[in-house]
Amino acid sequence: MNSLKLVAVVLIAAGVLALVYGGFSYTKETTAVKLGPLELSVKEKETVNVPLWAGVGAIVVGGLLLVVGGKK
């Protein structure tokens, strides 16, 4: 499998995951108050939404790379 086909498969998989899940979330830890030796940190849950067009675009581009990349 050459690198172009690998990139195409990764794009298709990422596009499908974006359509199924619609985004991802992560936890960010920030320091709220630092008073001498005492430190208060807060964990915030951040969510990143992946647009529908980005998922569909990744699938289309991956499919085109598979089709065009196979022809020589």
Short mmCIF file of all heavy atoms in Angstrom, two decimals:
data_model
loop_
_atom_site.label_atom_id
_atom_site.label_comp_id
_atom_site.label_asym_id
_atom_site.label_seq_id
_atom_site.Cartn_x
_atom_site.Cartn_y
_atom_site.Cartn_z
N MET A 1 0.86 -1.18 0.00
CA MET A 1 0.00 0.00 0.00
C MET A 1 0.90 1.23 0.00
O MET A 1 1.71 1.41 0.89
CB MET A 1 -0.90 -0.05 1.24
CG MET A 1 -1.86 1.11 1.31
SD MET A 1 -2.88 1.11 2.80
CE MET A 1 -4.31 0.26 2.21
N ASN A 2 0.73 2.06 -0.99
CA ASN A 2 1.56 3.26 -1.03
C ASN A 2 0.99 4.35 -0.12
O ASN A 2 -0.11 4.23 0.43
CB ASN A 2 1.72 3.76 -2.47
CG ASN A 2 0.41 4.15 -3.11
OD1 ASN A 2 -0.59 4.26 -2.44
ND2 ASN A 2 0.43 4.37 -4.40
N SER A 3 1.75 5.40 0.04
CA SER A 3 1.37 6.44 0.99
C SER A 3 0.11 7.19 0.58
O SER A 3 -0.65 7.65 1.44
CB SER A 3 2.53 7.41 1.19
OG SER A 3 2.84 8.05 -0.03
N LEU A 4 -0.14 7.33 -0.72
CA LEU A 4 -1.33 8.04 -1.18
C LEU A 4 -2.60 7.28 -0.80
O LEU A 4 -3.58 7.88 -0.34
CB LEU A 4 -1.27 8.25 -2.70
CG LEU A 4 -2.31 9.17 -3.29
CD1 LEU A 4 -2.17 10.57 -2.71
CD2 LEU A 4 -2.19 9.20 -4.79
N LYS A 5 -2.57 5.96 -0.94
CA LYS A 5 -3.73 5.16 -0.55
C LYS A 5 -3.93 5.20 0.97
O LYS A 5 -5.05 5.21 1.44
CB LYS A 5 -3.57 3.73 -1.03
CG LYS A 5 -3.76 3.57 -2.51
CD LYS A 5 -3.72 2.12 -2.92
CE LYS A 5 -3.92 1.99 -4.43
NZ LYS A 5 -3.88 0.59 -4.85
N LEU A 6 -2.83 5.22 1.71
CA LEU A 6 -2.93 5.29 3.16
C LEU A 6 -3.57 6.60 3.61
O LEU A 6 -4.44 6.61 4.48
CB LEU A 6 -1.54 5.13 3.78
CG LEU A 6 -1.49 5.14 5.31
CD1 LEU A 6 -2.24 3.94 5.86
CD2 LEU A 6 -0.06 5.14 5.78
N VAL A 7 -3.17 7.70 2.98
CA VAL A 7 -3.76 9.01 3.29
C VAL A 7 -5.24 9.01 2.94
O VAL A 7 -6.08 9.54 3.68
CB VAL A 7 -3.01 10.13 2.55
CG1 VAL A 7 -3.75 11.45 2.64
CG2 VAL A 7 -1.60 10.28 3.09
N ALA A 8 -5.60 8.39 1.81
CA ALA A 8 -6.99 8.32 1.39
C ALA A 8 -7.83 7.55 2.40
O ALA A 8 -8.93 7.97 2.78
CB ALA A 8 -7.09 7.69 0.01
N VAL A 9 -7.32 6.42 2.88
CA VAL A 9 -8.06 5.61 3.85
C VAL A 9 -8.21 6.35 5.17
O VAL A 9 -9.27 6.32 5.80
CB VAL A 9 -7.37 4.24 4.04
CG1 VAL A 9 -7.96 3.49 5.21
CG2 VAL A 9 -7.46 3.42 2.77
N VAL A 10 -7.17 7.06 5.59
CA VAL A 10 -7.23 7.84 6.83
C VAL A 10 -8.26 8.97 6.70
O VAL A 10 -9.04 9.22 7.63
CB VAL A 10 -5.84 8.38 7.21
CG1 VAL A 10 -5.92 9.41 8.32
CG2 VAL A 10 -4.92 7.24 7.61
N LEU A 11 -8.30 9.63 5.56
CA LEU A 11 -9.29 10.69 5.34
C LEU A 11 -10.72 10.15 5.37
O LEU A 11 -11.62 10.76 5.96
CB LEU A 11 -9.03 11.39 4.01
CG LEU A 11 -8.00 12.50 4.01
CD1 LEU A 11 -7.73 12.98 2.58
CD2 LEU A 11 -8.46 13.66 4.86
N ILE A 12 -10.92 9.01 4.74
CA ILE A 12 -12.26 8.41 4.74
C ILE A 12 -12.67 8.03 6.16
O ILE A 12 -13.80 8.29 6.58
CB ILE A 12 -12.30 7.21 3.78
CG1 ILE A 12 -12.16 7.70 2.33
CG2 ILE A 12 -13.60 6.43 3.95
CD1 ILE A 12 -11.99 6.59 1.32
N ALA A 13 -11.75 7.42 6.90
CA ALA A 13 -12.07 7.02 8.27
C ALA A 13 -12.36 8.23 9.15
O ALA A 13 -13.30 8.23 9.95
CB ALA A 13 -10.92 6.20 8.85
N ALA A 14 -11.56 9.29 9.00
CA ALA A 14 -11.79 10.50 9.78
C ALA A 14 -13.12 11.15 9.41
O ALA A 14 -13.84 11.65 10.28
CB ALA A 14 -10.64 11.49 9.56
N GLY A 15 -13.47 11.13 8.14
CA GLY A 15 -14.75 11.68 7.71
C GLY A 15 -15.94 10.92 8.27
O GLY A 15 -16.92 11.51 8.71
N VAL A 16 -15.83 9.59 8.28
CA VAL A 16 -16.91 8.77 8.82
C VAL A 16 -17.04 9.01 10.32
O VAL A 16 -18.16 9.16 10.85
CB VAL A 16 -16.66 7.27 8.51
CG1 VAL A 16 -17.61 6.39 9.31
CG2 VAL A 16 -16.80 7.01 7.03
N LEU A 17 -15.92 9.07 11.03
CA LEU A 17 -15.97 9.35 12.47
C LEU A 17 -16.57 10.73 12.75
O LEU A 17 -17.31 10.91 13.71
CB LEU A 17 -14.57 9.24 13.08
CG LEU A 17 -14.03 7.82 13.23
CD1 LEU A 17 -12.58 7.86 13.70
CD2 LEU A 17 -14.88 7.03 14.18
N ALA A 18 -16.23 11.71 11.91
CA ALA A 18 -16.78 13.05 12.10
C ALA A 18 -18.29 13.06 11.90
O ALA A 18 -19.02 13.75 12.61
CB ALA A 18 -16.12 14.03 11.13
N LEU A 19 -18.78 12.27 10.93
CA LEU A 19 -20.22 12.21 10.70
C LEU A 19 -20.93 11.45 11.82
O LEU A 19 -22.03 11.83 12.23
CB LEU A 19 -20.52 11.54 9.36
CG LEU A 19 -20.16 12.34 8.12
CD1 LEU A 19 -20.48 11.54 6.87
CD2 LEU A 19 -20.88 13.67 8.08
N VAL A 20 -20.31 10.40 12.33
CA VAL A 20 -20.96 9.59 13.36
C VAL A 20 -21.00 10.33 14.70
O VAL A 20 -22.04 10.40 15.36
CB VAL A 20 -20.24 8.23 13.52
CG1 VAL A 20 -20.73 7.48 14.73
CG2 VAL A 20 -20.44 7.39 12.27
N TYR A 21 -19.85 10.87 15.12
CA TYR A 21 -19.77 11.49 16.44
C TYR A 21 -20.08 12.99 16.43
O TYR A 21 -20.51 13.53 17.43
CB TYR A 21 -18.39 11.26 17.06
CG TYR A 21 -18.18 9.82 17.44
CD1 TYR A 21 -17.31 9.02 16.73
CD2 TYR A 21 -18.87 9.26 18.50
CE1 TYR A 21 -17.13 7.69 17.06
CE2 TYR A 21 -18.69 7.93 18.84
CZ TYR A 21 -17.82 7.16 18.11
OH TYR A 21 -17.64 5.85 18.45
N GLY A 22 -19.81 13.69 15.36
CA GLY A 22 -20.12 15.11 15.27
C GLY A 22 -19.16 16.02 16.02
O GLY A 22 -19.33 17.23 16.03
N GLY A 23 -18.16 15.48 16.65
CA GLY A 23 -17.19 16.29 17.39
C GLY A 23 -16.49 15.47 18.45
O GLY A 23 -16.68 14.25 18.54
N PHE A 24 -15.68 16.14 19.24
CA PHE A 24 -14.98 15.46 20.32
C PHE A 24 -14.82 16.44 21.48
O PHE A 24 -14.96 17.63 21.33
CB PHE A 24 -13.61 14.93 19.86
CG PHE A 24 -12.67 15.99 19.36
CD1 PHE A 24 -11.74 16.57 20.22
CD2 PHE A 24 -12.69 16.40 18.04
CE1 PHE A 24 -10.87 17.54 19.77
CE2 PHE A 24 -11.83 17.37 17.59
CZ PHE A 24 -10.92 17.95 18.45
N SER A 25 -14.54 15.88 22.65
CA SER A 25 -14.36 16.72 23.83
C SER A 25 -13.07 16.35 24.54
O SER A 25 -12.57 15.23 24.39
CB SER A 25 -15.55 16.57 24.79
OG SER A 25 -15.64 15.25 25.23
N TYR A 26 -12.55 17.29 25.28
CA TYR A 26 -11.34 17.09 26.05
C TYR A 26 -11.42 17.91 27.33
O TYR A 26 -12.24 18.81 27.45
CB TYR A 26 -10.09 17.46 25.24
CG TYR A 26 -10.02 18.91 24.84
CD1 TYR A 26 -9.32 19.83 25.62
CD2 TYR A 26 -10.65 19.39 23.70
CE1 TYR A 26 -9.26 21.16 25.27
CE2 TYR A 26 -10.60 20.71 23.34
CZ TYR A 26 -9.89 21.59 24.13
OH TYR A 26 -9.84 22.93 23.78
N THR A 27 -10.58 17.55 28.29
CA THR A 27 -10.57 18.25 29.57
C THR A 27 -9.33 19.14 29.65
O THR A 27 -8.22 18.70 29.39
CB THR A 27 -10.54 17.25 30.74
OG1 THR A 27 -11.67 16.38 30.59
CG2 THR A 27 -10.63 17.95 32.07
N LYS A 28 -9.56 20.41 29.99
CA LYS A 28 -8.49 21.39 30.11
C LYS A 28 -8.37 21.81 31.56
O LYS A 28 -9.37 22.15 32.20
CB LYS A 28 -8.81 22.59 29.21
CG LYS A 28 -7.76 23.67 29.22
CD LYS A 28 -8.05 24.73 28.18
CE LYS A 28 -8.99 25.77 28.72
NZ LYS A 28 -9.14 26.93 27.85
N GLU A 29 -7.17 21.76 32.08
CA GLU A 29 -6.94 22.15 33.47
C GLU A 29 -6.31 23.55 33.50
O GLU A 29 -5.29 23.78 32.86
CB GLU A 29 -6.03 21.15 34.17
CG GLU A 29 -5.92 21.39 35.66
CD GLU A 29 -5.20 20.26 36.37
OE1 GLU A 29 -5.26 19.12 35.88
OE2 GLU A 29 -4.59 20.54 37.41
N THR A 30 -6.93 24.45 34.24
CA THR A 30 -6.43 25.81 34.35
C THR A 30 -6.26 26.18 35.82
O THR A 30 -6.93 25.64 36.69
CB THR A 30 -7.39 26.82 33.70
OG1 THR A 30 -8.66 26.71 34.34
CG2 THR A 30 -7.55 26.56 32.21
N THR A 31 -5.35 27.09 36.06
CA THR A 31 -5.13 27.58 37.42
C THR A 31 -6.04 28.78 37.65
O THR A 31 -5.93 29.80 36.98
CB THR A 31 -3.66 27.98 37.62
OG1 THR A 31 -2.85 26.85 37.34
CG2 THR A 31 -3.41 28.44 39.03
N ALA A 32 -6.96 28.63 38.61
CA ALA A 32 -7.92 29.70 38.88
C ALA A 32 -7.33 30.72 39.84
O ALA A 32 -7.41 31.92 39.60
CB ALA A 32 -9.21 29.12 39.44
N VAL A 33 -6.75 30.25 40.94
CA VAL A 33 -6.22 31.15 41.96
C VAL A 33 -4.88 30.59 42.43
O VAL A 33 -4.75 29.41 42.70
CB VAL A 33 -7.18 31.25 43.17
CG1 VAL A 33 -6.58 32.11 44.26
CG2 VAL A 33 -8.52 31.80 42.74
N LYS A 34 -3.90 31.47 42.54
CA LYS A 34 -2.61 31.09 43.10
C LYS A 34 -2.29 32.10 44.19
O LYS A 34 -2.00 33.25 43.92
CB LYS A 34 -1.55 31.08 42.01
CG LYS A 34 -0.25 30.48 42.45
CD LYS A 34 0.70 30.28 41.29
CE LYS A 34 1.93 29.55 41.76
NZ LYS A 34 2.88 29.32 40.69
N LEU A 35 -2.37 31.66 45.42
CA LEU A 35 -2.18 32.53 46.57
C LEU A 35 -1.04 31.95 47.42
O LEU A 35 -1.25 31.07 48.23
CB LEU A 35 -3.48 32.61 47.38
CG LEU A 35 -3.50 33.61 48.52
CD1 LEU A 35 -3.42 35.03 47.97
CD2 LEU A 35 -4.76 33.43 49.33
N GLY A 36 0.15 32.45 47.18
CA GLY A 36 1.32 31.94 47.90
C GLY A 36 1.56 30.49 47.54
O GLY A 36 1.60 30.12 46.38
N PRO A 37 1.68 29.63 48.55
CA PRO A 37 1.91 28.21 48.26
C PRO A 37 0.63 27.45 47.87
O PRO A 37 0.70 26.34 47.39
CB PRO A 37 2.47 27.67 49.56
CG PRO A 37 1.93 28.56 50.60
CD PRO A 37 1.82 29.92 49.96
N LEU A 38 -0.51 28.08 48.06
CA LEU A 38 -1.77 27.44 47.71
C LEU A 38 -2.13 27.72 46.26
O LEU A 38 -2.00 28.84 45.78
CB LEU A 38 -2.90 27.93 48.62
CG LEU A 38 -2.74 27.66 50.11
CD1 LEU A 38 -3.87 28.32 50.86
CD2 LEU A 38 -2.71 26.17 50.36
N GLU A 39 -2.62 26.68 45.60
CA GLU A 39 -3.00 26.83 44.20
C GLU A 39 -4.32 26.10 43.98
O GLU A 39 -4.48 24.95 44.37
CB GLU A 39 -1.91 26.22 43.31
CG GLU A 39 -2.17 26.39 41.85
CD GLU A 39 -1.01 25.86 41.02
OE1 GLU A 39 0.13 26.28 41.26
OE2 GLU A 39 -1.27 25.03 40.15
N LEU A 40 -5.27 26.78 43.36
CA LEU A 40 -6.57 26.20 43.07
C LEU A 40 -6.67 26.02 41.56
O LEU A 40 -6.59 27.00 40.81
CB LEU A 40 -7.69 27.12 43.58
CG LEU A 40 -9.11 26.69 43.27
CD1 LEU A 40 -9.45 25.41 44.02
CD2 LEU A 40 -10.08 27.79 43.63
N SER A 41 -6.82 24.79 41.13
CA SER A 41 -6.94 24.54 39.69
C SER A 41 -8.34 24.02 39.38
O SER A 41 -8.98 23.36 40.20
CB SER A 41 -5.88 23.57 39.21
OG SER A 41 -5.83 22.45 40.02
N VAL A 42 -8.80 24.34 38.20
CA VAL A 42 -10.14 24.00 37.75
C VAL A 42 -10.03 23.18 36.47
O VAL A 42 -9.27 23.52 35.57
CB VAL A 42 -10.97 25.28 37.49
CG1 VAL A 42 -12.35 24.93 36.99
CG2 VAL A 42 -11.04 26.13 38.73
N LYS A 43 -10.80 22.10 36.40
CA LYS A 43 -10.85 21.29 35.19
C LYS A 43 -12.11 21.67 34.42
O LYS A 43 -13.21 21.63 34.95
CB LYS A 43 -10.87 19.80 35.52
CG LYS A 43 -9.57 19.32 36.11
CD LYS A 43 -9.62 17.84 36.35
CE LYS A 43 -8.30 17.38 36.94
NZ LYS A 43 -8.29 15.94 37.21
N GLU A 44 -11.92 22.06 33.17
CA GLU A 44 -13.03 22.45 32.33
C GLU A 44 -13.14 21.48 31.17
O GLU A 44 -12.15 21.12 30.56
CB GLU A 44 -12.81 23.86 31.76
CG GLU A 44 -12.72 24.94 32.80
CD GLU A 44 -12.44 26.29 32.17
OE1 GLU A 44 -13.02 26.58 31.12
OE2 GLU A 44 -11.64 27.03 32.75
N LYS A 45 -14.35 21.06 30.87
CA LYS A 45 -14.58 20.17 29.74
C LYS A 45 -14.89 21.02 28.51
O LYS A 45 -15.87 21.77 28.50
CB LYS A 45 -15.72 19.21 30.04
CG LYS A 45 -15.90 18.15 29.00
CD LYS A 45 -16.93 17.13 29.43
CE LYS A 45 -17.06 16.06 28.37
NZ LYS A 45 -18.07 15.07 28.74
N GLU A 46 -14.06 20.92 27.50
CA GLU A 46 -14.22 21.67 26.27
C GLU A 46 -14.75 20.73 25.18
O GLU A 46 -14.34 19.58 25.11
CB GLU A 46 -12.89 22.26 25.81
CG GLU A 46 -12.26 23.22 26.79
CD GLU A 46 -12.91 24.58 26.79
OE1 GLU A 46 -13.48 24.97 25.76
OE2 GLU A 46 -12.86 25.24 27.83
N THR A 47 -15.62 21.22 24.34
CA THR A 47 -16.18 20.44 23.24
C THR A 47 -15.88 21.12 21.92
O THR A 47 -16.08 22.33 21.78
CB THR A 47 -17.70 20.27 23.40
OG1 THR A 47 -17.96 19.67 24.66
CG2 THR A 47 -18.28 19.41 22.30
N VAL A 48 -15.39 20.35 20.96
CA VAL A 48 -15.11 20.85 19.62
C VAL A 48 -16.07 20.16 18.67
O VAL A 48 -16.08 18.94 18.56
CB VAL A 48 -13.65 20.57 19.20
CG1 VAL A 48 -13.41 21.04 17.78
CG2 VAL A 48 -12.68 21.21 20.16
N ASN A 49 -16.90 20.93 17.99
CA ASN A 49 -17.85 20.38 17.03
C ASN A 49 -17.22 20.38 15.64
O ASN A 49 -16.65 21.37 15.20
CB ASN A 49 -19.14 21.21 17.00
CG ASN A 49 -19.89 21.10 18.30
OD1 ASN A 49 -19.92 20.06 18.92
ND2 ASN A 49 -20.50 22.20 18.72
N VAL A 50 -17.34 19.24 14.96
CA VAL A 50 -16.84 19.12 13.59
C VAL A 50 -18.02 19.36 12.65
O VAL A 50 -19.04 18.66 12.76
CB VAL A 50 -16.23 17.72 13.35
CG1 VAL A 50 -15.75 17.60 11.92
CG2 VAL A 50 -15.09 17.47 14.32
N PRO A 51 -17.91 20.33 11.74
CA PRO A 51 -19.03 20.62 10.85
C PRO A 51 -19.34 19.44 9.93
O PRO A 51 -18.46 18.64 9.58
CB PRO A 51 -18.56 21.82 10.03
CG PRO A 51 -17.38 22.35 10.74
CD PRO A 51 -16.81 21.25 11.54
N LEU A 52 -20.60 19.34 9.52
CA LEU A 52 -21.03 18.27 8.63
C LEU A 52 -20.28 18.33 7.31
O LEU A 52 -19.85 17.30 6.77
CB LEU A 52 -22.54 18.38 8.40
CG LEU A 52 -23.18 17.36 7.49
CD1 LEU A 52 -23.08 15.98 8.13
CD2 LEU A 52 -24.62 17.71 7.23
N TRP A 53 -20.07 19.53 6.79
CA TRP A 53 -19.39 19.65 5.50
C TRP A 53 -17.94 19.18 5.57
O TRP A 53 -17.39 18.68 4.58
CB TRP A 53 -19.45 21.09 4.97
CG TRP A 53 -18.80 22.11 5.86
CD1 TRP A 53 -19.41 22.87 6.81
CD2 TRP A 53 -17.42 22.47 5.90
NE1 TRP A 53 -18.49 23.67 7.43
CE2 TRP A 53 -17.27 23.46 6.89
CE3 TRP A 53 -16.30 22.07 5.18
CZ2 TRP A 53 -16.03 24.02 7.18
CZ3 TRP A 53 -15.07 22.63 5.49
CH2 TRP A 53 -14.94 23.61 6.47
N ALA A 54 -17.31 19.28 6.72
CA ALA A 54 -15.93 18.82 6.86
C ALA A 54 -15.86 17.29 6.79
O ALA A 54 -14.95 16.72 6.17
CB ALA A 54 -15.32 19.33 8.15
N GLY A 55 -16.80 16.62 7.43
CA GLY A 55 -16.84 15.16 7.37
C GLY A 55 -17.12 14.64 5.97
O GLY A 55 -16.45 13.73 5.48
N VAL A 56 -18.10 15.25 5.31
CA VAL A 56 -18.43 14.85 3.94
C VAL A 56 -17.26 15.16 3.01
O VAL A 56 -16.91 14.36 2.14
CB VAL A 56 -19.73 15.54 3.48
CG1 VAL A 56 -19.98 15.29 2.00
CG2 VAL A 56 -20.90 15.07 4.31
N GLY A 57 -16.63 16.32 3.20
CA GLY A 57 -15.50 16.69 2.36
C GLY A 57 -14.33 15.74 2.51
O GLY A 57 -13.67 15.38 1.52
N ALA A 58 -14.06 15.29 3.73
CA ALA A 58 -12.97 14.34 3.96
C ALA A 58 -13.26 13.01 3.27
O ALA A 58 -12.35 12.40 2.67
CB ALA A 58 -12.75 14.13 5.45
N ILE A 59 -14.51 12.57 3.30
CA ILE A 59 -14.86 11.32 2.62
C ILE A 59 -14.72 11.46 1.11
O ILE A 59 -14.17 10.58 0.44
CB ILE A 59 -16.30 10.89 3.01
CG1 ILE A 59 -16.35 10.53 4.49
CG2 ILE A 59 -16.77 9.73 2.14
CD1 ILE A 59 -17.75 10.30 5.01
N VAL A 60 -15.18 12.58 0.56
CA VAL A 60 -15.09 12.80 -0.88
C VAL A 60 -13.64 12.90 -1.34
O VAL A 60 -13.25 12.26 -2.33
CB VAL A 60 -15.89 14.08 -1.28
CG1 VAL A 60 -15.61 14.48 -2.71
CG2 VAL A 60 -17.37 13.84 -1.06
N VAL A 61 -12.84 13.66 -0.64
CA VAL A 61 -11.43 13.80 -1.01
C VAL A 61 -10.70 12.47 -0.88
O VAL A 61 -9.90 12.10 -1.75
CB VAL A 61 -10.75 14.90 -0.15
CG1 VAL A 61 -9.25 14.88 -0.35
CG2 VAL A 61 -11.31 16.26 -0.51
N GLY A 62 -10.99 11.72 0.18
CA GLY A 62 -10.38 10.40 0.33
C GLY A 62 -10.78 9.45 -0.79
O GLY A 62 -9.94 8.71 -1.32
N GLY A 63 -12.04 9.47 -1.17
CA GLY A 63 -12.50 8.64 -2.28
C GLY A 63 -11.85 9.04 -3.60
O GLY A 63 -11.46 8.18 -4.39
N LEU A 64 -11.73 10.33 -3.82
CA LEU A 64 -11.07 10.79 -5.05
C LEU A 64 -9.60 10.39 -5.08
O LEU A 64 -9.08 10.00 -6.13
CB LEU A 64 -11.21 12.31 -5.19
CG LEU A 64 -12.58 12.83 -5.58
CD1 LEU A 64 -12.61 14.35 -5.54
CD2 LEU A 64 -12.97 12.33 -6.95
N LEU A 65 -8.94 10.46 -3.95
CA LEU A 65 -7.54 10.04 -3.88
C LEU A 65 -7.39 8.54 -4.16
O LEU A 65 -6.43 8.12 -4.81
CB LEU A 65 -6.92 10.38 -2.52
CG LEU A 65 -6.54 11.84 -2.29
CD1 LEU A 65 -6.03 12.01 -0.86
CD2 LEU A 65 -5.49 12.29 -3.28
N LEU A 66 -8.34 7.75 -3.68
CA LEU A 66 -8.29 6.32 -3.96
C LEU A 66 -8.47 6.04 -5.45
O LEU A 66 -7.78 5.21 -6.03
CB LEU A 66 -9.36 5.57 -3.16
CG LEU A 66 -8.99 5.17 -1.74
CD1 LEU A 66 -10.19 4.45 -1.10
CD2 LEU A 66 -7.79 4.27 -1.72
N VAL A 67 -9.44 6.73 -6.07
CA VAL A 67 -9.74 6.49 -7.49
C VAL A 67 -8.64 7.04 -8.38
O VAL A 67 -8.12 6.34 -9.24
CB VAL A 67 -11.09 7.12 -7.86
CG1 VAL A 67 -11.33 7.07 -9.35
CG2 VAL A 67 -12.21 6.41 -7.12
N VAL A 68 -8.25 8.28 -8.16
CA VAL A 68 -7.25 8.92 -9.01
C VAL A 68 -5.84 8.40 -8.70
O VAL A 68 -5.02 8.24 -9.58
CB VAL A 68 -7.29 10.47 -8.84
CG1 VAL A 68 -6.18 11.15 -9.60
CG2 VAL A 68 -8.65 10.99 -9.28
N GLY A 69 -5.58 8.09 -7.44
CA GLY A 69 -4.26 7.61 -7.05
C GLY A 69 -3.96 6.21 -7.59
O GLY A 69 -2.82 5.84 -7.76
N GLY A 70 -4.99 5.42 -7.88
CA GLY A 70 -4.79 4.08 -8.40
C GLY A 70 -4.46 4.05 -9.87
O GLY A 70 -3.90 3.09 -10.38
N LYS A 71 -4.81 5.10 -10.60
CA LYS A 71 -4.56 5.16 -12.05
C LYS A 71 -3.19 5.75 -12.33
O LYS A 71 -2.82 6.75 -11.77
CB LYS A 71 -5.64 6.00 -12.74
CG LYS A 71 -7.01 5.42 -12.62
CD LYS A 71 -8.02 6.30 -13.32
CE LYS A 71 -9.41 5.72 -13.17
NZ LYS A 71 -10.42 6.55 -13.80
N LYS A 72 -2.48 5.11 -13.21
CA LYS A 72 -1.17 5.64 -13.62
C LYS A 72 -0.99 5.50 -15.11
O LYS A 72 -1.42 4.66 -15.75
CB LYS A 72 -0.03 4.93 -12.89
CG LYS A 72 0.04 5.33 -11.46
CD LYS A 72 1.29 4.83 -10.85
CE LYS A 72 1.37 5.36 -9.41
NZ LYS A 72 2.59 5.11 -8.76
#
